[in-house]
Amino acid sequence: MANTNNNALDIPAGSILESDSPEPTILKVVCIDKADYKKQEWKNGLGRTEEIGIYPPEKDFWRQSFFWRLSQHVIDGDCNFSVFPDYECTTIVLPNGSDKKSTVMDAPVTNLQFMVRKGVGKAQFHVEKIGQPISNESGETGKKLLLGSFALVYVVEGYAKITLDESHMNLQRTVIAGQTLYIERDEEASPTSILIQACDPSGKVAGQAAAAAATAAAAAMAKSGHTLEDEGTDSASESAPSQRRGLPRRKSSLVVYGDQPLYKNRGKPIPAAAEPQPEVPEVELAKDLQVNERDLFDEGTRRDSLVGLSGSVDAGQILPSMAFGYDTDMPPPVVRDRLDVDDFPPNTISTAWIKMMKQGMSEWIRLPAIVCRGTADGPVVEIDVKKLYGTVVAIPCVNVIGYLQYKREFADGRDLNRLFPGKEDGFVSQVYCYQLMNKVISQFNYLIDLHTASFGRINSYYVRADMNDSGSALLAHLQMPQIILHNSGQDGTLRSAASARGVKAITVEIGNPQLFQRRYVLWSFVGVMRILKHLDMFTDFQEPKDEGQRGPPNSYLCSRGFWIYTKTGGVLEVYPAVTATLKKGELIARIKNIFGNVIDEYFAPCSGVVIGRSSNPVAMSGDRILHLGVMKRKGETLPKEAKENY
């Protein structure tokens, strides 16, 4: 937001906060053909180089320093390779069309080399077989988020269709083997989604019956040291760069300045090389990458700025108990094989045990249900109320086994909320999900799925909904949460499976596990009652007179969200609170070893708002750090398919 006054936001209560960043994320997309690569024979006559790209583009690799370079080499004989002490180099050997193991003795050997200047930026390099059955938890290949300034995709074999930001279908390219797609983006803007799919020569994506596949090598880099956030895809290299900054920076600085030293060659001898070394002083490169320091401090005009929003929402601390005024005595439960609302008398509140599936002692796992039928027919939703038209079904606990064992997973150790709609003849968790969908959810017209964070994490009060669906979007707005996160579903959740059946559904995350956060509970209760009133199911409901009990004054609308994960293990310290707004490059966490020494640091890869975060200080490599929401830009079209890297 452009407002720089942290204490006085002139925004009416209940409004939706978006980011003042109408500028395009993508600055340039160019498909570089193999014929356009700059070719150079080696002086020793044992190979040749094809330079695919270099940045800054006017730099001469032979004589000047540069930020990054991507090149292809054909090696015809055994020789010494060049040594570049001032650059991080990643090299992969490309297939040579034979079954032999590629070595220099099997000349010619072709390799792909990516170089990035040490201390100026960081990069990540991935090789991926597009079209293979499993690549991440969603079963997808080629799906990532770009967070840095540049990305390069080199197609090793086959044909690849590359889509940038699903909401902009004109940003699609078909790239064939040997070609490279160059992407330059506004590093200050929101992340860019990139989808790489195997296709035929015409660009048509292959179906399941087709055997089309492609291999792509992708590199992404940023001046600030934060690049590509991988959504579950394994990296091809064990030496992926740390998220730690390479250089100290001034306040608000995302790039180096001319008076900050770059990495220096400390006088180490350089062996004879096939390619000459750049010899221009580093200060020239620093000058090329400078930005106007005054612009960085002018937060009122900075793009994608979230300044001024940090004081606009309540953090939802634990408060004294609040009386809701709707307490009631429940009748004894009946046992039913499935939920059928017509089995329960109108104008009454009933309780029931629904038989779900048999456990190891041949006894039924039973699901608790509260059924409230009103004085007239109407929609069916899932929440506990007293006076209404239609029917309300409240399921106090879905994962009965996990509830009794104080854990998120079901009896077989799997997460139910990744397995819907389940299978009738699947494994244990799938069967349970199937029974829930067919015995209970099949009765619903609307669904409000109430959650808390999982163990070892804390959440804000937020709603996850498909904001492109008008019905679900309306439910999300009526709930008045601190944050609304656009998520289209298709991720195995209960909300997603219900939506696929035509049920208008949202997920409401109500803070932390194993804890009653009274304000969050009250806000969510009022939000649900507000929805029931809108549906003409509970016309007696009146908004609380106290504005603090109605909900937070504003809601952040996020076009996407993603988790940031640890790269190493140790004692984790996470600094931002939930609902805190972050600027790109802010320190968010540190990892210390057991003796207290800092071994890694993590910085915000883009501006955003903290949806949730880890509260467990014991972290393994790959554990969660922080759930970051990217605020929707004004004028931005929400992507049709938006998922998270759970």
Side-chain angles (χ1 to χ4, degrees), residues 90-93 124-129 135 144 156 215-219 228 230 232-241:
T90 301
T91 302
I92 64 168
V93 177
Q124 289 185 350
F125 196 87
H126 299 265
V127 179
E128 188 169 2
K129 188 76 172 180
S135 180
K144 296 176 175 64
V156 179
T215 302
L228 181 145
D230 186 5
T233 304
D234 292 332
S235 171
S237 171
E238 293 292 331
S239 58

Side-chain angles (χ1 to χ4, degrees), residues 278-322:
E279 298 177 353
V280 173
E282 289 84 349
V283 67
E284 179 181 339
L285 179 61
K287 182 178 180 181
D288 290 331
L289 298 179
Q290 277 186 353
V291 295
N292 189 324
E293 183 175 2
R294 181 181 60 186
D295 292 341
L296 288 174
F297 284 97
D298 186 7
E299 303 292 0
T301 59
R302 179 173 171 172
R303 286 179 292 177
D304 213 23
S305 174
L306 302 181
V307 174
L309 302 184
S310 58
S312 62
V313 292
D314 192 288
Q317 293 88 353
I318 304 172
L319 298 176
S321 176
M322 297 180 180

